[in-house]
């Protein structure tokens, strides 16, 4: 019985690892040419997903790469008013530690036999037990698991649903080696997450494990084609930074200094999500994990849900090694309920971020009694 997993992201690799721990084989097909083919993004807040890492036998290794200091939080308004600050003691439990996505992915990759992941396999079509790839090769499967992200090709075998724009456009910039190059800004951002909220805009700065601070400027209640009319010249980084500053009228000079210090990486991202509560009639030979199944607003739940999807599908398959359809039904029943709740919560939090008085509403979310 061949289990084919399309996509070597967190969900697909966790599934492969839990299957391996339980004596079951799988093959992961990944379109990228190698694990180093592209950057893997920033830091992840791993909380409920720690259960998945325990099931994968990797929790101790995870604690070795996680950053407890990443649990620190600073929340401010555009005029510089500090609304909330939480500094985590060095000996605090790792309830919501931050981890570099690349480090977590490498941990999962290193836990698998070398021949499990087949790099350079971009899926073009799948049906009736046969996969076709862009290089002309093909492979068979008894169970196909789509772990292929927001633009999943496997999803179409189960549902017509597609991600839709949610009224948020993000420009990602960053400051490399901030402790050495801009120590005052490094001290201002702190060790974890630094949020400035208000006026339909937000600035989120976050420490990465490599010393870079990644900064996301979010523009809320904007259309999917907003970048085309924003006046941001993405092909001219210096001019793009200047335009971003123009789009922050009245913001405290400290926040402007963060943008001025950024390097020439300026990346636009239009944010999309799948419908909350998405389900589909179960099929015996195909299912989905991670963003392919439940892409939701980026407020800290997606990676955790993907990890849990992979682990719980793996456990279901291990419990029903001779009955994949039963395993899929068991997994999907639990997954639909769990991820629908997470998507609803993420959508509610997203609505807070999009509101005119987002800072005060987020303060009430984090600490109802104030600072």
């Amino acid at each position: 019985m061949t289990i084919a997993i399309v996509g070597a992201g967190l969900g697909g690799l966790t599934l492969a690892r839990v299957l391996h721990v339980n004596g079951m084989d799988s093959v992961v097909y990944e379109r990228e040419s190698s694990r180093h083919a592209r950057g893997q993004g920033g830091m992840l807040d791993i909380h409920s997903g720690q259960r998945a890492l325990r099931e994968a036998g990797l929790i101790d290794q995870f604690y070795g790469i996680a950053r407890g200091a990443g649990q620190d939080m600073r929340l401010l308004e555009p005029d510089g008013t500090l609304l909330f600050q939480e500094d985590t003691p060095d000996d605090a439990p790792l309830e919501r530690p931050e981890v570099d996505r690349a480090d977590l992915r490498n941990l999962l990759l290193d836990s698998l036999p070398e021949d499990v992941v087949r790099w350079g396999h971009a899926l073009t079509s799948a049906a009736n037990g046969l996969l076709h790839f862009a290089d002309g090769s093909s492979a068979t499967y008894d169970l196909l698991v789509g772990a292929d992200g927001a633009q999943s090709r496997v999803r179409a075998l189960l549902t017509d649903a597609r991600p839709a724009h949610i009224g948020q456009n993000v420009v990602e910039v960053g400051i490399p080696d901030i402790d050495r190059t801009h120590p005052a800004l490094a001290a201002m951002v702190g060790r974890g997450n630094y949020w400035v909220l208000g006026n339909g805009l937000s600035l989120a700065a976050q420490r990465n494990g490599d010393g870079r601070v990644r900064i996301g400027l979010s523009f809320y209640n904007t259309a999917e084609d907003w970048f085309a009319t924003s006046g941001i010249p993405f092909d001219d980084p210096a001019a793009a930074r200047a335009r971003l500053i123009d789009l922050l009228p009245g913001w405290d000079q400290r926040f402007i200094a963060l943008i001025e210090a950024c390097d020439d990486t300026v990346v636009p991202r239009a944010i999309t999500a799948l419908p909350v509560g998405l389900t589909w009639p179960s099929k015996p030979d195909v299912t989905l994990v991670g963003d392919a199944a439940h892409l939701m607003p980026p407020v800290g739940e997606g990676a955790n849900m993907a990890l849990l999807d992979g682990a719980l599908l793996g456990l279901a398959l291990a419990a029903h090694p001779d009955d994949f359809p039963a395993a899929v039904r068991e997994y999907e029943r639990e997954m639909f309920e769990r991820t629908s709740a997470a998507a609803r919560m993420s959508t509610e939090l997203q609505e807070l971020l999009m509101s005119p008085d987002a800072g005060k509403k987020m303060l009430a979310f984090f600490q109802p009694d104030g600072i």
Side-chain angles (χ1 to χ4, degrees):
M1 298 286 283
T2 302
I3 301 173
I5 304 166
V6 177
L10 299 182
L13 293 174
T14 301
L15 170 57
R17 169 62 183 179
V18 171
L19 290 171
H20 176 66
V21 167
N22 285 277
M24 298 181 69
D25 295 329
S26 64
V27 181
V28 180
Y29 297 101
E30 169 55 48
R31 66 183 300 121
E32 295 174 5
S33 59
S34 73
R35 71 166 74 188
H36 305 297
R38 67 175 180 88
Q40 293 299 309
M43 304 295 286
L44 301 171
D45 166 8
I46 302 300
H47 41 92
S48 60
Q50 291 187 41
R51 176 189 172 190
L53 296 166
R54 290 190 182 90
E55 298 291 354
L58 298 173
I59 193 65
D60 290 337
Q61 294 95 315
F62 167 73
Y63 288 147
I65 62 173
R67 293 178 55 247
Q71 299 173 106
D72 288 4
M73 175 71 70
R74 297 179 185 181
L75 175 63
L76 303 96
E77 292 189 313
D79 65 1
T81 301
L82 178 66
L83 295 175
F84 177 78
Q85 178 169 338
E86 183 174 46
D87 296 322
T88 308
D90 292 339
D91 59 351
L94 294 178
E95 295 178 351
R96 303 180 68 100
E98 299 279 342
V99 65
D100 191 298
R101 182 186 289 270
D103 289 344
L104 181 54
R105 188 192 193 211
N106 284 333
L107 173 62
L108 290 163
L109 283 168
D110 291 341
S111 73
L112 295 169
E114 287 188 8
D115 61 345
V116 169
V117 179
R118 312 289 170 85
W119 301 99
H121 283 70
L123 183 72
T124 56
S125 65
N128 302 317
L130 189 63
L131 304 173
H132 293 281
F133 301 100
D135 63 0
S137 64
S138 60
T140 60
Y141 66 87
D142 295 294
L143 175 63
L144 173 61
V145 181
D148 47 345
Q151 303 304 319
S152 171
R153 288 184 175 272
V154 178
R155 187 192 299 123
L157 299 176
L158 293 167
T159 174
D160 292 333
R162 296 290 184 273
H165 192 257
I166 63 171
Q168 177 184 2
N169 290 286
V170 178
V171 179
E172 183 182 300
V173 290
I175 306 172
D177 196 10
I178 190 171
D179 289 307
R180 183 182 65 82
T181 60
H182 296 87
L185 294 178
M188 180 180 79
V189 171
R191 306 180 303 174
N193 292 281
Y194 187 85
W195 284 12
V196 185
L197 303 177
N199 306 328
L201 305 171
S202 74
L203 180 154
Q206 184 186 55
R207 288 276 185 155
N208 276 31
D210 61 0
R212 182 180 182 84
V213 163
R214 294 169 68 95
I215 299 167
L217 283 168
S218 291
F219 299 86
Y220 299 108
N221 302 303
T222 51
E224 188 171 6
D225 63 353
W226 180 80
F227 288 123
T229 61
S230 67
I232 303 171
F234 290 99
D235 58 348
D236 184 343
R241 289 193 295 272
R243 176 57 181 159
L244 288 171
I245 290 170
D246 288 342
L247 293 171
L248 303 176
W251 281 46
D252 189 277
Q253 183 58 38
R254 292 173 296 171
F255 312 141
I256 303 303
L258 271 179
I259 306 303
E260 292 174 335
C262 290
D263 64 11
D264 287 347
T265 300
V266 185
V267 181
R269 301 191 188 282
I271 306 302
T272 61
L274 285 166
V276 174
L278 176 64
T279 64
W280 52 81
S282 188
K283 291 188 176 181
D285 62 343
V286 60
T287 192
L288 304 172
V289 300
D291 286 349
H294 44 69
L295 179 67
M296 57 189 71
V299 294
E301 290 297 323
N304 289 277
M305 292 299 104
L307 291 167
L308 284 168
D309 290 349
L312 295 175
L313 176 55
L315 291 174
L317 290 166
H320 304 282
D322 300 317
D323 192 348
F324 285 180
V328 167
R329 290 192 300 271
E330 177 182 304
Y331 156 72
E332 289 178 344
R333 280 195 299 269
E334 188 279 337
M335 183 269 289
F336 290 150
E337 181 177 357
R338 169 174 46 83
T339 62
S340 292
R344 284 193 297 272
M345 186 277 288
S346 297
T347 300
E348 291 170 1
L349 188 54
Q350 183 75 5
E351 290 171 353
L352 291 183
L353 292 171
M354 297 175 76
S355 64
D357 54 349
K360 291 182 173 60
K361 287 185 176 179
M362 286 297 290
L363 172 61
F365 177 84
F366 284 120
Q367 190 170 352
D369 297 329
I371 297 178

